[in-house]
Amino acid sequence: MGEGDRRSIDSTRDGTRERQRVLLLCAGIIVLFAATDRVTLGYFAWRPLVVRLLWALFIVATALNLRGAGRARTRELMLALAVFSTAFYAALAALTGGVSSPLFHWMLALPVAIAVVIQDHPAAIVGSGLTMLAGGLGILTAADTAPALCWQWAGTAAIMVMLAAYISGSYGRLHAREAALRRAGAEADTRARASEAGIAARDEFLAIAAHELRTPLTSLLLQIDAVERAVSLSPGGILGEVERQRIGSIARQAGRLSGLIDGMLDMSRLTAGRLELNFDRVDLAALAREVAQRFAPDAAAAACAMKIDLPEPLVGLWDEARLDQIATNLIANAVKYGAGGGIEIEGRGGADVVQLIVRDHGIGISAEDQERIFRRFERASGQRQHPGLGLGLWITSELCKALGGKISVSSAVGAGAAFTITLPRRSPAAIESQKPRLPDMEPSRA
Ligand code: ADP
């Protein structure tokens, strides 16, 4: 049984219990008002009391029968309740003075009262209306009332029945709308749970796949490294220039593959909150210079002139490997998306914070895309010519947060992009007090 079905059964049970409570209350009121019959008649009579007791018993029996009744059975019970209640009422009116009884004057309001108690059952109201017409006309005829007055009473009764049927229909529409809303809410909940389970399964699959791929790739990278070294040691050897270039290309592709797999591993660590940080004294300026140096061949291949403006040491307590990853991601993106233009790497140091800015003059990012690119697997639109998973900036943003900082972007389409990371220098005490944190699944744009 689905969650939605369970909820609908629960709400039906609640509705039945509520209806039973109202019916038992009505039965109590009917018995309590037995005292008014004595006042109306001026003496005690057994017959009205017996009618009231039978009526109350009938209501109690109906309330008990409602338990576990399906839709069709409930409809039948409500119809019987409306018809018999009207009949009992008419009998009471007849036994307490007929046309002159106060109960007879209130008889016209009976269908409306029944519509309020037995909501959304128009058939029951019509049944009660017909019984009321028969009972009322019977009382009027027994009192030798003029036919014109009888017609007038019947006309008023018909209007009251129509009003009651309208009230009952409105309740029905209202309840149907509420039920539809409840169903829609339950379906949305079920869908959200299914999609959460799907995301969890995807994350688990990515974590396992990345882990399994890492082991053979590490050995492959070592082999490629050994081959490259052997080739460089024998420049005049048996390998020609074309073969050397091919080995270089294999090394680059394997390096790219390794970067992608590392990204997947980082993603699974971050989503599982298993990121470990080793805080130490690091000079961000020296580190950024070193990373830029590493990218010099790629930048040259992409016709990017790199300008480094890191005049002073930018020292703080950070995790060096993670900081390297942040700088690597930003410079790699600048080379990838800023090909053919200049790249500037700047550093600024304040008393408590430092900033690293990586600026390129490439394709740029539209304002709408700037909202998304820091989320997992999100890429700016129209990026098919540049391969990528859309994970680098999410990881960078999460790492910045883990180091107590933030990342922001300033860009326009066709005008390049400048990514700025801002990190607190941090004191050892501040690091000590840092509690382990779970990263957000969808980081907000800094
Ligand atoms: P990937 O580069 O693998 O797609 P990233 O998370 O590093 O993933 O970047 C997300 C997206 O942000 C990229 O797909 C690209 O659309 C956009 N982007 C990132 N850096 C730049 C940049 N320097 N210039 C233009 N667009 C960029």
Side-chain angles (χ1 to χ4, degrees):
M1 191 192 294
E3 180 69 15
D5 297 337
R6 240 193 318 275
R7 279 191 202 190
S8 122
I9 288 173
D10 284 350
S11 69
T12 312
R13 267 193 208 135
D14 288 349
T16 304
R17 260 186 236 130
E18 184 65 34
R19 207 189 278 274
Q20 283 176 318
R21 265 199 294 275
V22 172
L23 290 182
L24 293 178
L25 186 72
C26 290
I29 291 172
I30 287 164
V31 177
L32 266 180
F33 271 67
T36 60
D37 297 340
R38 195 182 192 291
V39 177
T40 307
L41 290 171
Y43 57 89
F44 174 76
W46 276 105
R47 280 192 292 181
L49 182 63
V50 170
V51 169
R52 277 185 186 273
L53 289 174
L54 286 176
W55 187 7
L57 271 177
F58 180 75
I59 292 176
V60 171
T62 308
L64 294 178
N65 269 312
L66 273 177
R67 199 170 178 187
R71 265 168 186 272
R73 177 100 183 108
T74 307
R75 214 177 303 133
E76 284 166 14
L77 285 170
M78 290 302 108
L79 179 61
L81 181 70
V83 169
F84 280 96
S85 291
T86 314
F88 278 120
Y89 187 93
L92 259 184
L95 291 172
T96 53
V99 178
S100 58
S101 166
L103 288 177
F104 181 75
H105 300 299
W106 283 106
M107 199 164 175
L108 286 172
L110 194 61
V112 176
I114 289 180
V116 172
V117 175
I118 307 175
Q119 299 166 359
D120 76 46
H121 285 280
I125 306 307
V126 174
S128 146
L130 292 175
T131 314
M132 179 182 75
L133 267 177
L137 287 176
I139 292 172
L140 286 167
T141 315
D144 286 334
T145 312
L149 280 178
C150 288
W151 281 116
Q152 198 184 334
W153 186 88
T156 317
I159 291 170
M160 294 305 280
V161 173
M162 279 192 284
L163 180 67
Y166 175 76
I167 292 172
S168 181
S170 301
Y171 271 128
R173 281 190 294 277
L174 201 71
H175 286 173
R177 217 171 295 154
E178 276 174 7
L181 278 175
R182 264 199 304 274
R183 265 198 307 279
E187 276 164 25
D189 279 0
T190 313
R191 269 201 302 275
R193 256 191 294 279
S195 98
E196 271 168 24
I199 289 170
R202 181 197 66 186
D203 287 350
E204 196 182 340
F205 169 76
L206 283 177
I208 294 168
H211 200 261
E212 292 302 312
L213 287 169
R214 195 81 196 82
T215 317
L217 189 67
T218 308
S219 126
L220 187 68
L221 285 169
L222 286 172
Q223 300 292 340
I224 292 171
D225 195 41
V227 171
E228 270 192 314
R229 252 182 293 127
V231 169
S232 64
L233 286 177
S234 58
I238 44 165
L239 291 183
E241 190 51 32
V242 178
E243 282 78 16
R244 281 169 193 278
Q245 278 175 7
R246 282 196 183 137
I247 289 171
S249 164
I250 291 170
R252 272 196 304 282
Q253 294 305 330
R256 237 196 98 218
L257 198 57
S258 162
L260 289 172
I261 290 170
D262 284 346
M264 283 159 70
L265 278 172
D266 280 338
M267 187 202 71
S268 66
R269 274 191 211 113
L270 282 163
T271 41
R274 278 192 278 108
L275 187 72
E276 275 176 26
L277 296 173
N278 299 311
F279 287 92
D280 211 345
R281 213 179 114 86
V282 186
D283 177 2
L284 177 60
L287 183 139
R289 236 178 264 122
E290 194 188 310
V291 175
Q293 201 65 39
R294 234 185 283 147
F295 273 93
D298 293 306
C304 289
M306 250 197 284
K307 198 174 137 210
I308 296 171
D309 183 11
L310 296 157
E312 45 170 345
L314 303 171
V315 180
L317 283 175
W318 301 298
D319 181 309
E320 187 168 3
R322 297 305 177 184
L323 211 52
D324 187 302
Q325 212 176 341
I326 291 171
T328 300
N329 282 348
L330 294 183
I331 297 175
N333 276 353
V335 172
K336 183 155 82 172
Y337 300 105
I343 295 174
E344 289 116 43
I345 300 165
E346 292 165 23
R348 289 179 204 148
D352 299 320
V353 294
V354 300
Q355 283 191 322
L356 180 73
I357 302 142
V358 178
R359 185 179 297 110
D360 66 66
H361 299 273
I363 57 173
I365 309 158
S366 69
E368 310 85 72
D369 286 336
Q370 287 172 33
E371 298 288 328
R372 301 189 294 109
I373 53 173
F374 294 101
R375 297 189 206 138
R376 280 200 308 179
F377 302 116
E378 291 284 356
R379 311 194 70 214
S381 43
Q383 295 285 311
R384 287 183 194 280
Q385 72 275 28
H386 301 289
L389 291 178
L391 272 178
L393 283 182
W394 178 72
I395 291 171
T396 306
S397 156
E398 288 303 315
L399 293 179
C400 285
K401 283 194 214 165
L403 295 175
K406 61 180 183 175
I407 181 168
S408 61
V409 64
S410 147
S411 180
V413 174
F419 286 87
T420 304
I421 62 158
T422 308
L423 296 173
R425 290 185 190 265
R426 305 177 81 87
S427 63
I431 293 162
E432 206 52 51
S433 68
Q434 189 187 30
K435 301 265 183 305
R437 57 181 279 281
L438 280 178
D440 302 335
M441 295 294 286
E442 303 296 351
S444 57
R445 208 181 128 231

